[in-house]
Amino acid sequence: MDSFQYFMPVKIYFGKNCILEKKEVFRNFGKKAFLVTGQNSAKKNGSFHDITEALSSLDIDFVTFDQVEENPTTETIEKAARIGISEKVDFVIGIGGGSPMDAAKSIACLIANPGLTATALYEPVALKHLPLIEIPTTAGTGSETTPYSILTLHEKKTKASNKQSVFADVAFLDAKYMLHLPVSTTINTAVDALSHLIEGYLAVKSNFLSDIIAESGFKIIGECLDALKTGEFSFETREKLLLASTLGGFVIAQAGTSLPHLMGYALTYHRNIPHGQANGILTKAYLALFQEPKNQQKIKTFLNLLGFSSLDAFGDFLEQVLPEKSSFSEEEIKQFTALSVQNKTKLATFPEKISEEIIYQIYQKSLL
Ligand code: NAP
Ligand code: FE
């Protein structure tokens, strides 16, 4: 058997009302918390209420930064960190979709290193960080179990994961916060979770354990296909999607994401296409690239676990659940290709032959 390593340090509490039921956990992290959220949803979906109630009942003080935008920028991270430093917070709680959860990781680094700017996050020097708790309110990114923080870099005109590895100390998973997540966000984020399972399963660094976890994730998502098609989500389905998303985080924490993520960043930056949807648009053409029998066998296995008889049937499903594609120009495809090939680390996750021409062809097949 091939040698491999596996690392997953996040303590997970899963279940309805887990924050209030396990609130004693917060005592381990200090006397003042920094709550990092998006602009609206945390206050509407009950997560902000549960956390502030838990903290208040324990006499833990808190300050809130509620200005994290979708696809957070380095400017936002720096602004939040300045507040966290001046407020002398002891730990950070990220509440929301991937945007606030990723932001919380970078903010936790900059608060622990006063004087540094966001540029330092992209240097290959490991920075210390404040303790971190993550609370997902979308079921997609798995950020609560990955070490990654993906920020928008205006100077590079794209998004990129920074070089720090920040795992949460604790993640609270409660699907009740997702009960009113709009159907379109539910689908986009579910497709993101699915793309993590797929890309991690097929990446160079996939291993025995990450494959077992990915296979469980495919089965769970397979049980949610009807709901994704009809747009009707029971609490049980919400819990399944949340679990699958967290499992996707386990998988990419080991194996990383691959081409659809790399290439999707350009679609999000330049055309404002939501992250999960961007991955979904590129997935079929990416899967059609694999030539080696062992990879083709893996594709067959996961399609089976999901409940699809062929790649075409899976492609049809993605087309059915995702919004209609916008139109793209040949010029844009060349621009996206040129951007994508700069990220050699992500290109190296693909286990077969890869070239600029192949990247160009995936965009062409997916977008034109
Ligand atoms: P998001 O950008 O965090 O949120 C999307 C929208 O959903 C926002 O308008 C948000 O509102 C709203 N929302 C969140 N929770 C809600 C709820 N429970 N009910 C109603 N609305 C809700 O979306 P996301 O897809 O979860 O995260 C995408 C980001 O994660 C991207 O930047 C992507 O690159 C990153 N990502 C990270 C990883 C990783 O491993 N770290 C993996 C994949 C993707 P508010 O703004 O008001 O909160
Ligand atoms: Fe993703």
Side-chain angles (χ1 to χ4, degrees), residues 69-72 97-102 138-143 146 148-152 158-161 184-197 199 245 248-249 252 256-283 318 322-323 346 363 367:
E69 68 278 59
E70 292 183 36
N71 306 299
S99 297
M101 287 195 290
D102 281 11
T138 63
T141 69
S143 180
T146 76
Y148 312 124
S149 172
I150 292 128
L151 304 178
T152 296
T158 191
K159 298 172 55 171
S161 182
S184 59
T185 316
T186 305
I187 291 173
N188 288 337
T189 47
V191 171
D192 188 26
L194 182 53
S195 64
H196 296 155
L197 294 166
E199 291 172 46
S245 163
I252 60 171
T257 55
S258 191
L259 302 187
H261 267 72
L262 163 64
M263 299 171 66
Y265 292 151
L267 301 186
T268 299
Y269 187 86
H270 290 280
R271 294 292 295 270
N272 213 18
I273 297 179
H275 172 67
Q277 186 186 341
N279 302 334
I281 292 172
L282 298 156
T283 293
L318 288 175
L322 291 173
K346 274 268 177 283
Y363 274 127
L367 303 181

